[in-house]
Amino acid sequence: MLNRTLLSPLSVICFFLSTSLFGQSSTFQKAYLGGGDDEGRWIIETNNGFLIAGQAKSLVNSNNSDALLIRTNQRGEILWQKNYGGAVNENFSYVTTTNDDGFLAYGITGTVFNQRYDAWLVKVDSSGNLLWQKSLGEAASYEAPNAPIHTVPGGFLLSGLKGQNPFGIIGSFVTKVDEQGETLWSRYHVLGAQPGSAVVRNYLEVHYATDSLLYATGVFGESAVFATMNSLNGDIIQVIEYKNPHHALRPFKLHPTHDGNFVLIGYATPLNPNNPRSIWLLKIRSDGQVIWCKVYASNYRWVTPIFGSTITSDGGFVISSGEQQSQNNGETDYGMLMKLDGNGDVVWKKSYSEYFVHDKSINNCFEVAGGGLAVIGWERDSTDDVLLIRTDADGEIEGCCSKKRASINPTDFIVEASPMLYEQEDYLAFNPTNLTPVFNIAFVDKSICNNPRPTLHDTLRFCPGESVTIGDSTYTQPATVSLLIPSATDDCDTLATYTLEHEAPDPNAALQLDCPADISVQANVPTIVHYNEPTAWSDCNCPDLTLVRTSGPASGAAFPLGATSVCYQADDACANSRACCFTVTLAPAPPPPSDACDTKTSGCLQFELLQVNRDYAQNWAYHVRLTNSCADAVQYAYLQVPKGLQALAPINDIVYTTANGHTFTARNPNFSPFYSVRYHFAAATLSSGQSETFRYVLPQQADVKYIHAAARLFSGAFVETHLNTFSCPVGTEPQPKPEAGERGDYGGGSTLRVYPNPVSAEEALFIEGGDMEGSDFVLRDLTGRLVLEASVTGSQVRVGEAKLANGLYFFNVLKNGLSVGSGKVVVVR
């Protein structure tokens, strides 16, 4: 924001468009140096820039001034400049465009020291060449413009003051001219007139025109007035007077509001000269009825303005004036812009200059089509120079500062409204005049900034994947970001520019990856293994370090038996990559020291004869352990039974589940690949170092010297060996607890008898040796095939229906699921 002291206070209300701080065309502040005391009074926008109207100090007569036009491009660079004048004072107060791409300028031409002058109308082409000029005035008075030119159907509308030295302003005129400057009608108005009344300071100035009506404000003595006129002939329709018994009211501008009403803007000056003036706003309806009225006090003291104003596009107002503050070394004038909302409440207040002499004045500003403001006035260095400021929509100049100023909330103000009398009559016409233009001043534009904005330039580097937050925005990619950092002292805000860049990878960065040591676990089945993840470290300038497992199970997962490689890879943002591996080995625990009578190993299978015992009935009980260190599981295990005998246990076709969790079905007797007891494992569970112990019982007459043992794996591989029994001491077999499928009394086999045996033509067999009623009789052939299963009724079982062929058969009698006897039966037909 721009801090600047004005010699002459700011006195313009400017029309703003809402634009972003850095999203519009460039802003600037320029002085146009012509070599004398020069001033810009009015500015308009052209199709490619701006046209400035004002005055330039005459190089012919240093006591006089020439009228001035300067045309610039949008950057304020001079396209052409011309001055117009004769032997007396001339200046342009207003300018507008014409429908032939030319311009119409409105000002004065008069005597030295402005003791007497006329209103002056000049038409030029698009290059500033003079086409015609006309003036209006009486010899005994002076006439001067007091409001902008209005383009109306059929021509232009001009307002002016009529004054008389030494009496001051005595009335005003409104004149309509056509495109060639010919007067269509002209009216002179005197307010408050009545027969015999004294003439007081009074005038009207037209600020708004429609096809049918003209709207004017003005002054009558210490009162403000609002008038409507007929746009066809200038006749007054009504005049309303507004007064306050304690203040003199002076309006400077009149504006239509967005809701169809009007606002008068000016000053309320206390009649007591010791009291400070206030800015004054009066909102009225089109018939003059008061809606509200407010005054705005200064924190210090409002100074006399050259006043202009407008309503903003959001329905509010921007007022400019000057605020004067006493300092130790004098008075300081602060040129001021104050923004109000549509209700007249203060939104913000800013100053633009801080100097101890009156070296800057702003006369007029307007809204630029692309957004922002064009402001015209003058600045004093060694001489007075034309001043042009191009701001953004908030009145800021890029690179220069404004300063926030404390504001006082408005207070309600009472006015009395009443109709008033007036007089009107026809007035003078504009007549041709012949002032020879002198084009002898060469202006040079110069960029100026009395209070440069503090700037901050910083480069912020961040890593890919990270973000940077600046203000209210977050950025994830390289960019250039500009924003204002508010001043902590309400002084000049800092324009900060941040360049956002990604960090460049460090080519000398180091990456280290350390895997844990190899792990060994004793296990006979797949087992869950926990391990510490590898540690990775990098001194890369970006923290994007990733660690990925590339092979092997995660920690806490089940590992298979054997050796498994687990590998990890680490990568950092500096393009470094490292990998490492370790091994997890699951191996069966070594078998405990064996006290087996005999041990035979064949491949990855080990057979051990652990015990040879005799029970109380002198039956032989053999305990054989099979350990399978193969990954392939055991499907069948075989233990030989001497031919002519049958094992008393285990019971045929009974499903066993061991304490180790293995489930198998025993076939007793089994005939292939040799006569034996066969153990069939339904699931592949006995593998990878697992062991199982098998117990089988032979009758007392079976005193075997070796046991033919074998196993078949699920893959089909077959392994066999022989276990010697003669090295085993014979122990005593404890009486086992009867289990399903195994009888508790093995001696029953010697008392149970089946007859006739051999069997010839008998249809039934008789069973002796106990109460067999309801028992089950099971008969198998030499291959183990079931040929008969029948119930024992009255100690006999019928076999005739089986149609037995000649040969040897094996029987088994079960009662309540337990074997109570077994033997052989021979069939001879």
Side-chain angles (χ1 to χ4, degrees), residues 559-576:
F559 278 71
L561 294 171
T564 302
S565 179
V566 181
C567 296
Y568 278 79
Q569 179 173 317
D571 296 277
D572 64 17
C574 293
N576 295 315

mmCIF file with all atom_site columns, all heavy atoms in Angstrom, residues 559-576:
data_model
loop_
_atom_site.group_PDB
_atom_site.id
_atom_site.type_symbol
_atom_site.label_atom_id
_atom_site.label_alt_id
_atom_site.label_comp_id
_atom_site.label_asym_id
_atom_site.label_entity_id
_atom_site.label_seq_id
_atom_site.pdbx_PDB_ins_code
_atom_site.Cartn_x
_atom_site.Cartn_y
_atom_site.Cartn_z
_atom_site.occupancy
_atom_site.B_iso_or_equiv
_atom_site.pdbx_formal_charge
_atom_site.auth_seq_id
_atom_site.auth_comp_id
_atom_site.auth_asym_id
_atom_site.auth_atom_id
_atom_site.pdbx_PDB_model_num
ATOM 1   N N   . PHE A 1 559 ? 6.017  -69.637 7.914  1.00 0.00 ? 559 PHE A N   1
ATOM 2   C CA  . PHE A 1 559 ? 7.100  -70.021 7.013  1.00 0.00 ? 559 PHE A CA  1
ATOM 3   C C   . PHE A 1 559 ? 7.046  -71.519 6.764  1.00 0.00 ? 559 PHE A C   1
ATOM 4   O O   . PHE A 1 559 ? 6.750  -72.305 7.671  1.00 0.00 ? 559 PHE A O   1
ATOM 5   C CB  . PHE A 1 559 ? 8.453  -69.645 7.619  1.00 0.00 ? 559 PHE A CB  1
ATOM 6   C CG  . PHE A 1 559 ? 8.835  -68.210 7.403  1.00 0.00 ? 559 PHE A CG  1
ATOM 7   C CD1 . PHE A 1 559 ? 8.180  -67.193 8.079  1.00 0.00 ? 559 PHE A CD1 1
ATOM 8   C CD2 . PHE A 1 559 ? 9.835  -67.874 6.527  1.00 0.00 ? 559 PHE A CD2 1
ATOM 9   C CE1 . PHE A 1 559 ? 8.524  -65.869 7.888  1.00 0.00 ? 559 PHE A CE1 1
ATOM 10  C CE2 . PHE A 1 559 ? 10.194 -66.551 6.321  1.00 0.00 ? 559 PHE A CE2 1
ATOM 11  C CZ  . PHE A 1 559 ? 9.535  -65.551 6.997  1.00 0.00 ? 559 PHE A CZ  1
ATOM 12  N N   . PRO A 1 560 ? 7.385  -71.955 5.549  1.00 0.00 ? 560 PRO A N   1
ATOM 13  C CA  . PRO A 1 560 ? 7.403  -73.396 5.271  1.00 0.00 ? 560 PRO A CA  1
ATOM 14  C C   . PRO A 1 560 ? 8.664  -74.033 5.858  1.00 0.00 ? 560 PRO A C   1
ATOM 15  O O   . PRO A 1 560 ? 9.625  -73.350 6.218  1.00 0.00 ? 560 PRO A O   1
ATOM 16  C CB  . PRO A 1 560 ? 7.413  -73.435 3.742  1.00 0.00 ? 560 PRO A CB  1
ATOM 17  C CG  . PRO A 1 560 ? 8.120  -72.192 3.350  1.00 0.00 ? 560 PRO A CG  1
ATOM 18  C CD  . PRO A 1 560 ? 7.702  -71.161 4.364  1.00 0.00 ? 560 PRO A CD  1
ATOM 19  N N   . LEU A 1 561 ? 8.641  -75.366 5.931  1.00 0.00 ? 561 LEU A N   1
ATOM 20  C CA  . LEU A 1 561 ? 9.820  -76.087 6.378  1.00 0.00 ? 561 LEU A CA  1
ATOM 21  C C   . LEU A 1 561 ? 10.935 -75.917 5.356  1.00 0.00 ? 561 LEU A C   1
ATOM 22  O O   . LEU A 1 561 ? 10.692 -75.772 4.156  1.00 0.00 ? 561 LEU A O   1
ATOM 23  C CB  . LEU A 1 561 ? 9.498  -77.572 6.575  1.00 0.00 ? 561 LEU A CB  1
ATOM 24  C CG  . LEU A 1 561 ? 8.502  -77.868 7.710  1.00 0.00 ? 561 LEU A CG  1
ATOM 25  C CD1 . LEU A 1 561 ? 8.083  -79.313 7.669  1.00 0.00 ? 561 LEU A CD1 1
ATOM 26  C CD2 . LEU A 1 561 ? 9.123  -77.544 9.053  1.00 0.00 ? 561 LEU A CD2 1
ATOM 27  N N   . GLY A 1 562 ? 12.144 -75.912 5.832  1.00 0.00 ? 562 GLY A N   1
ATOM 28  C CA  . GLY A 1 562 ? 13.290 -75.720 4.979  1.00 0.00 ? 562 GLY A CA  1
ATOM 29  C C   . GLY A 1 562 ? 13.774 -74.286 5.028  1.00 0.00 ? 562 GLY A C   1
ATOM 30  O O   . GLY A 1 562 ? 13.419 -73.505 5.917  1.00 0.00 ? 562 GLY A O   1
ATOM 31  N N   . ALA A 1 563 ? 14.610 -73.872 4.065  1.00 0.00 ? 563 ALA A N   1
ATOM 32  C CA  . ALA A 1 563 ? 15.217 -72.541 4.016  1.00 0.00 ? 563 ALA A CA  1
ATOM 33  C C   . ALA A 1 563 ? 14.411 -71.632 3.100  1.00 0.00 ? 563 ALA A C   1
ATOM 34  O O   . ALA A 1 563 ? 14.112 -71.991 1.958  1.00 0.00 ? 563 ALA A O   1
ATOM 35  C CB  . ALA A 1 563 ? 16.661 -72.631 3.545  1.00 0.00 ? 563 ALA A CB  1
ATOM 36  N N   . THR A 1 564 ? 14.073 -70.430 3.598  1.00 0.00 ? 564 THR A N   1
ATOM 37  C CA  . THR A 1 564 ? 13.332 -69.427 2.828  1.00 0.00 ? 564 THR A CA  1
ATOM 38  C C   . THR A 1 564 ? 14.111 -68.129 2.832  1.00 0.00 ? 564 THR A C   1
ATOM 39  O O   . THR A 1 564 ? 14.514 -67.633 3.889  1.00 0.00 ? 564 THR A O   1
ATOM 40  C CB  . THR A 1 564 ? 11.938 -69.188 3.428  1.00 0.00 ? 564 THR A CB  1
ATOM 41  O OG1 . THR A 1 564 ? 11.221 -70.424 3.466  1.00 0.00 ? 564 THR A OG1 1
ATOM 42  C CG2 . THR A 1 564 ? 11.162 -68.177 2.607  1.00 0.00 ? 564 THR A CG2 1
ATOM 43  N N   . SER A 1 565 ? 14.315 -67.561 1.645  1.00 0.00 ? 565 SER A N   1
ATOM 44  C CA  . SER A 1 565 ? 15.035 -66.291 1.521  1.00 0.00 ? 565 SER A CA  1
ATOM 45  C C   . SER A 1 565 ? 14.044 -65.135 1.622  1.00 0.00 ? 565 SER A C   1
ATOM 46  O O   . SER A 1 565 ? 13.006 -65.130 0.954  1.00 0.00 ? 565 SER A O   1
ATOM 47  C CB  . SER A 1 565 ? 15.787 -66.241 0.190  1.00 0.00 ? 565 SER A CB  1
ATOM 48  O OG  . SER A 1 565 ? 16.477 -64.999 0.067  1.00 0.00 ? 565 SER A OG  1
ATOM 49  N N   . VAL A 1 566 ? 14.372 -64.162 2.464  1.00 0.00 ? 566 VAL A N   1
ATOM 50  C CA  . VAL A 1 566 ? 13.568 -62.940 2.619  1.00 0.00 ? 566 VAL A CA  1
ATOM 51  C C   . VAL A 1 566 ? 14.438 -61.770 2.182  1.00 0.00 ? 566 VAL A C   1
ATOM 52  O O   . VAL A 1 566 ? 15.532 -61.584 2.711  1.00 0.00 ? 566 VAL A O   1
ATOM 53  C CB  . VAL A 1 566 ? 13.098 -62.748 4.068  1.00 0.00 ? 566 VAL A CB  1
ATOM 54  C CG1 . VAL A 1 566 ? 12.256 -61.478 4.181  1.00 0.00 ? 566 VAL A CG1 1
ATOM 55  C CG2 . VAL A 1 566 ? 12.312 -63.953 4.538  1.00 0.00 ? 566 VAL A CG2 1
ATOM 56  N N   . CYS A 1 567 ? 13.938 -60.975 1.205  1.00 0.00 ? 567 CYS A N   1
ATOM 57  C CA  . CYS A 1 567 ? 14.725 -59.878 0.632  1.00 0.00 ? 567 CYS A CA  1
ATOM 58  C C   . CYS A 1 567 ? 13.969 -58.554 0.733  1.00 0.00 ? 567 CYS A C   1
ATOM 59  O O   . CYS A 1 567 ? 12.742 -58.520 0.602  1.00 0.00 ? 567 CYS A O   1
ATOM 60  C CB  . CYS A 1 567 ? 15.076 -60.153 -0.836 1.00 0.00 ? 567 CYS A CB  1
ATOM 61  S SG  . CYS A 1 567 ? 16.145 -61.599 -1.054 1.00 0.00 ? 567 CYS A SG  1
ATOM 62  N N   . TYR A 1 568 ? 14.722 -57.475 0.926  1.00 0.00 ? 568 TYR A N   1
ATOM 63  C CA  . TYR A 1 568 ? 14.174 -56.125 1.002  1.00 0.00 ? 568 TYR A CA  1
ATOM 64  C C   . TYR A 1 568 ? 14.983 -55.212 0.089  1.00 0.00 ? 568 TYR A C   1
ATOM 65  O O   . TYR A 1 568 ? 16.160 -55.475 -0.192 1.00 0.00 ? 568 TYR A O   1
ATOM 66  C CB  . TYR A 1 568 ? 14.235 -55.582 2.434  1.00 0.00 ? 568 TYR A CB  1
ATOM 67  C CG  . TYR A 1 568 ? 13.095 -56.043 3.310  1.00 0.00 ? 568 TYR A CG  1
ATOM 68  C CD1 . TYR A 1 568 ? 13.095 -57.315 3.871  1.00 0.00 ? 568 TYR A CD1 1
ATOM 69  C CD2 . TYR A 1 568 ? 12.012 -55.212 3.569  1.00 0.00 ? 568 TYR A CD2 1
ATOM 70  C CE1 . TYR A 1 568 ? 12.066 -57.745 4.676  1.00 0.00 ? 568 TYR A CE1 1
ATOM 71  C CE2 . TYR A 1 568 ? 10.969 -55.625 4.389  1.00 0.00 ? 568 TYR A CE2 1
ATOM 72  C CZ  . TYR A 1 568 ? 10.999 -56.890 4.927  1.00 0.00 ? 568 TYR A CZ  1
ATOM 73  O OH  . TYR A 1 568 ? 9.965  -57.295 5.713  1.00 0.00 ? 568 TYR A OH  1
ATOM 74  N N   . GLN A 1 569 ? 14.310 -54.117 -0.356 1.00 0.00 ? 569 GLN A N   1
ATOM 75  C CA  . GLN A 1 569 ? 14.977 -53.095 -1.157 1.00 0.00 ? 569 GLN A CA  1
ATOM 76  C C   . GLN A 1 569 ? 14.636 -51.722 -0.605 1.00 0.00 ? 569 GLN A C   1
ATOM 77  O O   . GLN A 1 569 ? 13.476 -51.425 -0.306 1.00 0.00 ? 569 GLN A O   1
ATOM 78  C CB  . GLN A 1 569 ? 14.563 -53.181 -2.625 1.00 0.00 ? 569 GLN A CB  1
ATOM 79  C CG  . GLN A 1 569 ? 15.217 -52.103 -3.501 1.00 0.00 ? 569 GLN A CG  1
ATOM 80  C CD  . GLN A 1 569 ? 14.934 -52.302 -4.975 1.00 0.00 ? 569 GLN A CD  1
ATOM 81  O OE1 . GLN A 1 569 ? 15.000 -53.430 -5.468 1.00 0.00 ? 569 GLN A OE1 1
ATOM 82  N NE2 . GLN A 1 569 ? 14.605 -51.230 -5.667 1.00 0.00 ? 569 GLN A NE2 1
ATOM 83  N N   . ALA A 1 570 ? 15.648 -50.860 -0.467 1.00 0.00 ? 570 ALA A N   1
ATOM 84  C CA  . ALA A 1 570 ? 15.474 -49.482 -0.007 1.00 0.00 ? 570 ALA A CA  1
ATOM 85  C C   . ALA A 1 570 ? 15.823 -48.523 -1.138 1.00 0.00 ? 570 ALA A C   1
ATOM 86  O O   . ALA A 1 570 ? 16.796 -48.745 -1.872 1.00 0.00 ? 570 ALA A O   1
ATOM 87  C CB  . ALA A 1 570 ? 16.342 -49.208 1.217  1.00 0.00 ? 570 ALA A CB  1
ATOM 88  N N   . ASP A 1 571 ? 15.008 -47.460 -1.301 1.00 0.00 ? 571 ASP A N   1
ATOM 89  C CA  . ASP A 1 571 ? 15.252 -46.425 -2.306 1.00 0.00 ? 571 ASP A CA  1
ATOM 90  C C   . ASP A 1 571 ? 15.071 -45.064 -1.653 1.00 0.00 ? 571 ASP A C   1
ATOM 91  O O   . ASP A 1 571 ? 14.161 -44.880 -0.823 1.00 0.00 ? 571 ASP A O   1
ATOM 92  C CB  . ASP A 1 571 ? 14.286 -46.568 -3.483 1.00 0.00 ? 571 ASP A CB  1
ATOM 93  C CG  . ASP A 1 571 ? 14.468 -47.868 -4.236 1.00 0.00 ? 571 ASP A CG  1
ATOM 94  O OD1 . ASP A 1 571 ? 15.356 -47.932 -5.093 1.00 0.00 ? 571 ASP A OD1 1
ATOM 95  O OD2 . ASP A 1 571 ? 13.722 -48.825 -3.952 1.00 0.00 ? 571 ASP A OD2 1
ATOM 96  N N   . ASP A 1 572 ? 15.924 -44.103 -2.026 1.00 0.00 ? 572 ASP A N   1
ATOM 97  C CA  . ASP A 1 572 ? 15.746 -42.742 -1.510 1.00 0.00 ? 572 ASP A CA  1
ATOM 98  C C   . ASP A 1 572 ? 15.485 -41.785 -2.666 1.00 0.00 ? 572 ASP A C   1
ATOM 99  O O   . ASP A 1 572 ? 15.506 -42.170 -3.842 1.00 0.00 ? 572 ASP A O   1
ATOM 100 C CB  . ASP A 1 572 ? 16.939 -42.303 -0.659 1.00 0.00 ? 572 ASP A CB  1
ATOM 101 C CG  . ASP A 1 572 ? 18.248 -42.203 -1.450 1.00 0.00 ? 572 ASP A CG  1
ATOM 102 O OD1 . ASP A 1 572 ? 18.193 -42.158 -2.697 1.00 0.00 ? 572 ASP A OD1 1
ATOM 103 O OD2 . ASP A 1 572 ? 19.315 -42.175 -0.815 1.00 0.00 ? 572 ASP A OD2 1
ATOM 104 N N   . ALA A 1 573 ? 15.193 -40.522 -2.319 1.00 0.00 ? 573 ALA A N   1
ATOM 105 C CA  . ALA A 1 573 ? 14.836 -39.516 -3.328 1.00 0.00 ? 573 ALA A CA  1
ATOM 106 C C   . ALA A 1 573 ? 16.033 -39.068 -4.144 1.00 0.00 ? 573 ALA A C   1
ATOM 107 O O   . ALA A 1 573 ? 15.866 -38.328 -5.112 1.00 0.00 ? 573 ALA A O   1
ATOM 108 C CB  . ALA A 1 573 ? 14.179 -38.312 -2.647 1.00 0.00 ? 573 ALA A CB  1
ATOM 109 N N   . CYS A 1 574 ? 17.243 -39.496 -3.776 1.00 0.00 ? 574 CYS A N   1
ATOM 110 C CA  . CYS A 1 574 ? 18.444 -39.136 -4.527 1.00 0.00 ? 574 CYS A CA  1
ATOM 111 C C   . CYS A 1 574 ? 18.836 -40.233 -5.504 1.00 0.00 ? 574 CYS A C   1
ATOM 112 O O   . CYS A 1 574 ? 19.993 -40.316 -5.926 1.00 0.00 ? 574 CYS A O   1
ATOM 113 C CB  . CYS A 1 574 ? 19.585 -38.837 -3.561 1.00 0.00 ? 574 CYS A CB  1
ATOM 114 S SG  . CYS A 1 574 ? 19.313 -37.341 -2.577 1.00 0.00 ? 574 CYS A SG  1
ATOM 115 N N   . ALA A 1 575 ? 17.892 -41.116 -5.852 1.00 0.00 ? 575 ALA A N   1
ATOM 116 C CA  . ALA A 1 575 ? 18.071 -42.161 -6.862 1.00 0.00 ? 575 ALA A CA  1
ATOM 117 C C   . ALA A 1 575 ? 19.034 -43.246 -6.403 1.00 0.00 ? 575 ALA A C   1
ATOM 118 O O   . ALA A 1 575 ? 19.584 -43.984 -7.228 1.00 0.00 ? 575 ALA A O   1
ATOM 119 C CB  . ALA A 1 575 ? 18.510 -41.571 -8.196 1.00 0.00 ? 575 ALA A CB  1
ATOM 120 N N   . ASN A 1 576 ? 19.268 -43.381 -5.096 1.00 0.00 ? 576 ASN A N   1
ATOM 121 C CA  . ASN A 1 576 ? 20.060 -44.486 -4.583 1.00 0.00 ? 576 ASN A CA  1
ATOM 122 C C   . ASN A 1 576 ? 19.158 -45.673 -4.290 1.00 0.00 ? 576 ASN A C   1
ATOM 123 O O   . ASN A 1 576 ? 18.006 -45.502 -3.849 1.00 0.00 ? 576 ASN A O   1
ATOM 124 C CB  . ASN A 1 576 ? 20.802 -44.086 -3.306 1.00 0.00 ? 576 ASN A CB  1
ATOM 125 C CG  . ASN A 1 576 ? 21.838 -43.015 -3.567 1.00 0.00 ? 576 ASN A CG  1
ATOM 126 O OD1 . ASN A 1 576 ? 22.586 -43.093 -4.528 1.00 0.00 ? 576 ASN A OD1 1
ATOM 127 N ND2 . ASN A 1 576 ? 21.882 -42.004 -2.698 1.00 0.00 ? 576 ASN A ND2 1
#
